[in-house]
């Protein structure tokens, strides 16, 4: 295990294996990681561990990598299949936690909650202000969703209480989602100018790299708020910085960044940005479910001779 995780998953693994948890609260360097995993049959690894050909070559004994995340852009799954190594991820376990964080960021950015907190702590709150910290209302507004998978749909369903009109873009239409929420499918370029809030929920891949760049951001309303809890590089961070700085869009709530943990120079100096630290799945419930799902997938593959539903390359089992 390349980082300590919640106990439930560790206990499940201990029932079947000798478990070694890398004890330090930091990621191993690449060299340390390649060396550390050599003698193991399975590895529970983090989204900060790049799992690619170099890894499969360095640790030929490892038969499964359980990626402790739903996003697996850090893993070369095709290459894993070539080396007959199973890859699993943690879908479902963090769907609601991530959708909930997106709502938190939407309100935090739209209503200046973090800036107002800082103001209060700084002793600058001298009394109710008729024009202080004006923000954007949410109820009845138009909500755009990019990527209507599990998390995007959960985020959209949560909009019901705010009586919002839903618009979404995704590689495929999701008819049940449309029926149950009234969401309308839109081409990206029709969606962008229409919505008041836009939340990114698609996976990161070469197809979604810089999906939102200068041109796309320039099409959004100047009153709109952009939320990203997916992967940083779906948005061109330099273009986002310019759009926020020049008030081309109203604000952004970001949980993910293009070059984590580095953040684009100047982005954090802008007062229309709320920046959290990649905490989408960080609830007790979600992380416990993730730990059981990841551990369970290792037990299934190495002990039960069973292909778990969260295996990303089932074809290697023939
Ligand atoms: C977190 O970013 C995840 O993909 O689970
Ligand atoms: C605000 O506190 C109000 O009562 O309107």
């Amino acid at each position: 295990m390349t980082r300590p995780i919640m106990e439930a998953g560790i206990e499940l693994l201990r029932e079947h294996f000798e478990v070694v948890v890398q004890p330090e609260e930091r990621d191993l360097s690449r060299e340390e990681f390649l060396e550390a995993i050599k003698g193991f049959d399975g590895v529970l690894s983090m989204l900060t561990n790049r799992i690619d050909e170099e890894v499969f070559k360095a640790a030929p004994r490892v038969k499964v990598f359980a990626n402790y995340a739903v996003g697996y852009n850090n893993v070369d799954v095709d290459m894993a299949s070539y080396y007959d190594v199973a890859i699993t991820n943690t879908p479902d376990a963090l769907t609601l936690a991530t959708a909930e964080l997106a709502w938190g960021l939407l309100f935090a950015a739209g209503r200046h909650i973090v800036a107002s907190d800082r103001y209060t702590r700084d002793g600058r709150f001298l009394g109710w202000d008729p024009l202080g910290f004006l923000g954007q209302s949410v109820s009845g507004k138009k909500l755009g969703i990019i990527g209507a998978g599990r998390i995007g749909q959960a985020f959209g369903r949560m909009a019901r209480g705010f009586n919002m009109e839903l618009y979404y873009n995704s590689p495929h239409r999701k008819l049940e989602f449309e029926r149950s929420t009234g969401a309308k499918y839109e081409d990206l370029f029709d969606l962008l100018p229409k919505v008041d809030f836009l939340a990114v929920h698609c996976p990161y891949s070469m197809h979604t790299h810089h999906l939102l760049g200068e041109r796309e951001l320039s099409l959004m309303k100047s009153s709109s708020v952009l939320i990203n809890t997916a992967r940083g590089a779906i948005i061109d961070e330099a273009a986002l910085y310019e759009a926020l700085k020049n008030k081309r869009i109203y604000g952004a709530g970001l949980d993910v960044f293009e070059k984590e943990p580095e953040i684009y120079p100047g982005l954090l100096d802008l007062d229309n940005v709320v920046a959290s630290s990649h905490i989408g799945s960080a609830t007790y419930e979600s992380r416990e479910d993730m730990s059981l799902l990841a551990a369970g997938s290792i037990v299934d593959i190495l002990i039960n001779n069973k292909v778990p539903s969260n295996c990303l390359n089932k074809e290697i089992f023939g």
Side-chain angles (χ1 to χ4, degrees):
M1 200 171 295
T2 65
R3 293 288 292 271
I5 62 167
M6 284 186 70
E7 209 43 50
I10 302 180
E11 276 168 25
L12 175 59
L13 286 169
R14 286 214 171 102
E15 290 171 23
H16 302 276
F17 304 104
E18 184 187 328
V19 179
V20 176
V21 181
Q22 192 280 115
E24 291 182 57
E25 300 213 345
R26 65 170 179 92
D27 285 317
L28 297 176
S29 71
R30 184 68 172 172
E31 291 69 35
E32 290 172 323
F33 172 70
L34 291 174
E35 192 53 40
I37 62 175
K38 279 203 163 106
F40 293 90
D41 299 294
V43 175
L44 196 154
S45 53
M46 306 298 125
L47 61 89
T48 42
N49 298 128
R50 198 174 74 247
I51 309 296
D52 58 8
E53 181 163 29
E54 188 182 24
V55 170
F56 308 130
K57 279 187 165 153
R61 178 169 173 160
V62 180
K63 283 286 155 247
V64 51
F65 285 88
N67 188 53
Y68 196 59
V70 70
Y72 52 88
N73 54 291
N74 57 309
V75 183
D76 188 340
V77 179
D78 289 338
M79 197 54 81
S81 301
Y82 181 77
Y83 282 86
D84 253 348
V85 176
I87 304 294
T88 68
N89 69 337
T90 62
D92 303 316
L94 47 71
T95 300
L96 295 175
T98 307
E100 288 170 359
L101 184 77
W103 279 102
L105 288 171
L106 186 153
F107 280 104
R111 293 296 302 274
H112 311 293
I113 295 173
V114 178
S116 173
D117 172 280
R118 234 177 272 131
Y119 181 84
T120 306
R121 285 168 201 266
D122 288 350
R124 290 191 287 151
F125 174 36
L126 303 175
W128 188 84
D129 180 349
L131 290 173
F133 290 107
L134 302 184
Q136 305 292 344
S137 345
V138 171
S139 296
K141 294 276 185 73
K142 295 185 170 69
L143 179 65
I145 300 170
I146 294 182
R150 286 173 289 252
I151 298 171
Q153 291 193 31
F155 175 81
R157 282 192 297 274
M158 291 173 184
R160 206 176 305 159
F162 299 109
N163 228 350
M164 300 178 88
E165 282 175 45
L166 264 54
Y167 299 88
Y168 77 102
N169 178 261
S170 212
H172 306 285
R173 281 185 63 174
K174 304 294 168 97
L175 297 179
E176 177 46 38
F177 178 58
E178 292 183 19
R179 263 193 297 276
S180 60
T181 62
K184 295 184 186 65
Y185 182 87
E186 297 276 358
D187 285 332
L188 185 60
F189 287 94
D190 296 326
L191 175 81
L192 293 168
K194 197 169 267 177
V195 298
D196 301 297
F197 297 89
L198 180 63
V200 177
H201 292 295
C202 57
Y204 176 69
S205 72
M206 59 193 260
H207 307 291
T208 59
H209 177 79
H210 287 191
L211 184 68
L212 300 181
E214 186 188 347
R215 173 157 175 244
E216 290 73 21
L217 294 167
S218 76
L219 294 173
M220 294 175 66
K221 289 187 187 180
S222 59
S223 57
S224 65
V225 175
L226 177 62
I227 308 302
N228 189 4
T229 54
R231 285 291 180 272
I234 298 166
I235 303 176
D236 177 344
E237 212 163 277
L240 178 61
Y241 168 76
E242 292 298 329
L244 287 163
K245 185 171 162 223
N246 301 319
K247 307 274 156 68
R248 277 290 314 122
I249 64 173
Y250 186 77
L254 309 171
D255 187 47
V256 287
F257 301 88
E258 198 165 345
K259 299 199 169 90
E260 286 174 27
E262 281 168 49
I263 296 186
Y264 189 81
L267 189 65
L268 297 182
D269 298 329
L270 304 176
D271 58 14
N272 52 353
V273 175
V274 173
S276 51
S277 47
H278 205 147
I279 56 171
S281 68
T283 69
Y284 293 104
E285 294 85 350
S286 164
R287 288 280 167 85
E288 178 159 312
D289 288 353
M290 287 167 67
S291 79
L292 290 169
L293 191 58
S297 70
I298 295 177
V299 174
D300 275 348
I301 289 168
L302 294 180
I303 304 284
N304 298 337
N305 256 323
K306 198 181 132 195
V307 186
S309 61
N310 56 326
C311 178
L312 294 165
N313 53 353
K314 299 191 174 78
E315 70 276 7
I316 67 167
F317 297 99

